[in-house]
Amino acid sequence: MITVIVSNEIERVCPGFVGAAVEAWVRNTPYSEELWQEIRTVGEEYKATLTTESLKLMPGIAATRRVYKACGKDPSRYRPAAEALIRRMLQGKELYQIDTLVDLINLASIRFGYSIGGFDADKFHGETLTLGVGRAGEPYEGIGRGMINIEGLPVYRDDDGGVGTPTSDHERTKIDLNTTHLLVLINGYDGDETRVRQNAEYILRLVREYCDGHDAGYQLYR
């Protein structure tokens, strides 16, 4: 599996951080109706139990917002992805339908409240990813967002630079219909190892059920 290193920058602002790297070989498809039935079910559950304010109290979201603030980023301007997805559901808007792999990663993020990065592992440069903090002027092209300012955002970097933040992953390593080697990174800024493991197992279930996932597993990193 790809090695993930947590830098001292992150340890200082979140000493209890625990992440999980889920890796699998998969077959992507344009759409899965069964998966979207699961997504809609979660959406209806949240509409009955959450508001756009109370969702910020979900442990994974609240912890990610705290880390943003500690790193100098406004979490209301650069929303963590889990918060943005659930917020969209609560506003009665449809989630963007991309492809089965991306859609199931979004479901896993919504279900557990963690901002999750999903990547085509064959597009990484090098064999190590390091989780640090974005620097002033650091170039970063978010998926579908163009160039974004990642100064003060937690960021995973490979040998060529940033590939993922809790707000947006990078165009360079994004999943597409040709993706066969999947890497998913779960960001447990709340330090809840049990819940991070549950999220990883949930992703493994989804990729096996909807994307013919095989040779799949996960490892924790701190």
Side-chain angles (χ1 to χ4, degrees):
M1 295 186 76
I2 290 168
T3 300
V4 184
I5 298 169
V6 180
S7 72
N8 291 334
E9 292 175 304
I10 295 297
E11 289 180 356
R12 281 195 294 269
V13 297
C14 189
F17 174 86
V18 56
V22 182
E23 196 165 1
W25 293 92
V26 295
R27 181 181 64 85
N28 200 5
T29 57
Y31 178 77
S32 167
E33 176 57 33
E34 293 80 6
L35 173 63
W36 272 88
Q37 289 175 5
E38 288 202 50
I39 293 171
R40 294 184 189 106
T41 297
V42 174
E44 291 306 311
E45 175 189 329
Y46 282 172
K47 287 176 187 176
T49 58
L50 291 175
T51 69
T52 54
E53 286 303 310
S54 67
L55 79 89
K56 297 176 185 177
L57 302 178
M58 292 178 68
I61 291 173
T64 306
R65 290 176 65 89
R66 286 195 299 271
V67 169
Y68 272 38
K69 290 177 181 177
C71 292
K73 209 68 168 177
D74 179 358
S76 294
R77 183 176 178 190
Y78 294 85
R79 294 188 192 280
E83 179 184 347
L85 289 168
I86 299 172
R87 183 183 179 86
R88 186 172 179 85
M89 283 181 152
L90 297 179
Q91 292 172 335
K93 300 175 183 176
E94 283 287 326
L95 294 187
Y96 298 109
Q97 191 275 315
I98 308 299
D99 57 50
T100 303
L101 277 176
V102 173
D103 297 343
L104 73 80
I105 291 167
N106 285 342
L107 171 58
S109 180
I110 291 162
R111 178 79 278 180
F112 285 82
Y114 292 128
S115 290
I116 297 173
F119 308 93
D120 185 323
D122 291 337
K123 295 178 180 178
F124 290 131
H125 295 160
E127 298 179 354
T128 302
L129 295 174
T130 301
L131 177 59
V133 178
R135 298 182 287 264
E138 184 172 359
Y140 190 93
E141 185 179 359
I143 296 174
R145 300 166 66 108
M147 301 303 291
I148 63 174
N149 173 17
I150 65 166
E151 181 181 4
L153 283 180
V155 58
Y156 289 94
R157 299 182 181 96
D158 67 3
D159 287 356
D160 276 7
V163 296
T165 76
T167 291
S168 176
D169 292 330
H170 197 286
E171 282 279 353
R172 174 166 62 87
T173 50
K174 75 178 181 181
I175 291 165
D176 58 37
L177 288 175
N178 296 314
T179 296
T180 57
H181 187 189
L182 175 70
L183 181 74
V184 180
L185 299 178
I186 303 167
N187 297 291
Y189 289 104
D190 59 354
D192 189 338
E193 179 179 325
T194 298
R195 193 153 175 81
V196 168
R197 286 186 181 276
Q198 290 171 344
N199 199 170
E201 293 288 351
Y202 184 72
I203 291 168
L204 289 175
R205 193 269 288 178
L206 293 176
V207 298
R208 286 169 178 149
E209 186 166 344
Y210 297 115
C211 293
D212 296 335
H214 59 93
D215 295 329
Y218 74 90
Q219 62 183 3
L220 298 183
Y221 55 93
R222 302 174 187 275

